[in-house]
Amino acid sequence: MNNNQNSKGITILGSTGTIGVNTLDVIARQSEHYHLIALTANSNVDKMLQQCLQHHPQYVVMVKEQAAEQLSIALKNQAPDIEVLSGSQALETVVELTQVDYVMAAIVGAAGLLPNLAAAKAGKRVLLANKESLVMSGKLFMNTVSENNATLLPIDSEHNAIFQCLPASGLQGVTQILLTASGGPFRTRAIDTLHDITPEQAVAHPNWVMGQKISVDSATMMNKGLEVIEACWLFQLTTEQIQVVIHPQSTIHSMVAYNDGSVLAQLGNPDMRTPIAYGLGWPMRIESGVAPLDLFEIAQLNFEQADYNRFPCLRLAYEAHQAGGYATIALNAANEIAVEAFLNRQLRFTDIPALIEYALEQTTSGTPETLNEILIQDSESRRQANLWWHENK
Ligand code: NAD
Ligand code: MG
């Protein structure tokens, strides 16, 4: 604990994940400005124990009860002052605490929705890495942020770049958002061999080190599809205003085009500590530990169109957002089921979009107004996706 009166209290949702670990790294570099209130994880006891001993939060949540019990026993002698909670409800408890100023929303998938909404409802600064929650509940989420005077800052590198390149006064003069994508590991692989792809090949991203789910999403380019939807909600844009640009070097993290011909870009090494530091420090800049960009080493910046034949998930995401909120919930739910089945070697890589397309066909247009409607659509789409998978595996 530090003695700085202005030090910000932080809860990290998903601290054992890639974003969580990078967030802890940035915070440890500025320990006089930030202090940890809570760390949370699903079940990784070893990693959480190590984080607790190194970073000393006041609370820790393990969603899985058995994991919480194991962690309590391990902490008893080494750090008995850390309070261990369990269950998904506890995620909401540790974001709502009055001593929490900032919440890093870095749980993967739909499991992040309720705690992220709780953070927005409690008026916190929400550092949003978990794009799935916005894809599921964009309208409700943005309303919750504004009704409760919360501050929503994008951590996804592309959205963080866009945020850095937009004028402070909204969208004045903006004509287009150029959302960059690396193209993932299969950008140039022969299309007729995509069905043979293994989980190991899919998670081996050329530029970024990330969790398994987002790595598969990057390989199918569903990640970019989810990001198109995320950008629409964050910046109040239509899908027509967003152009996906494949940029294999991942040096430009996105761009904003203006009506006078200017295009502003944010560049940097592909290291999530840059957008994390920007979100933590905003409106100031703080050190992140990221190496300076060496343009001479990079030497070239290339750009390509995205091919919907190679990446049908990208097309499905555009179509889903145009159809409305029910469809984007179905898109996300079916994708989560498909990616998990693929990682378990129970679904072919090329069946991921087929399964999602089926779930979308079962869904009505329009947008849900309430959380209950969102959750019902989510579980209905999961049921349909599972059905398709059992019939086609
Ligand atoms: P990860 O798989 O490395 O970590 C996920 C974290 O969520 C872990 O701490 C895990 O314990 C926790 N978690 C998993 N299931 C949970 C559940 N049911 N309940 C509560 N907690 C649960 O994932 P990641 O790569 O750090 O990504 C996290 C989020 O950030 C994702 O939404 C991803 O799309 C987004 N994101 C990640 C990156 C990146 O570079 N890794 C970049 C941009 C956005
Ligand atoms: Mg991204």
Side-chain angles (χ1 to χ4, degrees), residues 19-246:
I19 295 290
V21 168
N22 279 309
T23 305
L24 284 169
D25 182 280
V26 177
I27 290 173
R29 291 166 194 276
Q30 343 266 335
S31 52
E32 70 282 21
H33 297 302
Y34 305 100
H35 59 278
L36 283 172
I37 306 297
L39 299 180
T40 85
N42 193 33
S43 60
N44 189 337
V45 176
D46 291 346
K47 199 156 189 179
M48 186 56 98
L49 176 63
Q50 177 229 319
Q51 291 187 339
C52 284
L53 297 178
Q54 190 178 348
H55 300 283
H56 280 277
Q58 297 173 26
Y59 300 88
V60 54
V61 178
M62 299 301 293
V63 172
K64 292 274 188 286
E65 207 168 308
Q66 208 187 351
E69 278 167 25
Q70 285 173 12
L71 185 69
S72 294
I73 294 166
L75 283 174
K76 210 169 193 170
N77 295 326
Q78 303 181 71
D81 50 325
I82 300 177
E83 192 170 332
V84 181
L85 308 172
S86 80
S88 50
Q89 182 67 41
L91 298 171
E92 294 175 50
T93 308
V94 296
V95 304
E96 287 164 354
L97 295 167
T98 49
Q99 63 268 41
V100 172
D101 300 296
Y102 298 176
V103 174
M104 170 53 77
I107 289 173
V108 61
L113 176 63
L114 296 181
N116 294 355
L117 274 172
K121 217 177 236 170
K124 308 298 186 189
R125 175 183 290 198
V126 183
L127 306 174
L128 188 74
N130 173 269
K131 63 197 85 184
E132 295 93 339
S133 56
L134 209 51
V135 170
M136 293 175 73
S137 73
K139 188 175 175 188
L140 179 78
F141 200 94
M142 296 309 288
N143 286 342
T144 308
V145 167
S146 61
E147 282 161 14
N148 296 283
N149 287 322
T151 304
L152 181 62
L153 298 178
I155 298 302
D156 213 347
S157 56
E158 297 76 2
H159 306 74
N160 193 272
I162 295 163
F163 182 62
Q164 293 192 42
C165 297
L166 280 176
S169 55
L171 294 175
Q172 199 275 320
V174 172
T175 52
Q176 204 174 32
I177 299 295
L178 302 166
L179 190 72
T180 54
S182 69
F186 309 129
R187 180 175 60 87
T188 56
R189 180 173 165 138
I191 292 188
D192 60 1
T193 68
L194 294 179
H195 57 273
D196 286 336
I197 285 166
T198 64
E200 290 74 20
Q201 291 169 324
V203 300
H205 195 278
N207 305 341
W208 296 94
V209 179
M210 306 184 287
Q212 287 204 314
K213 193 253 175 187
I214 184 176
S215 296
V216 176
D217 286 349
S218 298
T220 61
M221 277 190 83
M222 177 55 90
N223 183 49
K224 212 49 53 182
L226 298 176
E227 290 184 358
V228 168
I229 300 167
E230 181 185 15
C232 286
W233 287 116
L234 282 172
F235 306 117
Q236 306 299 314
L237 300 163
T238 61
T239 49
E240 289 77 22
Q241 291 172 287
I242 302 174
Q243 165 90 64
V244 170
V245 179
I246 293 190

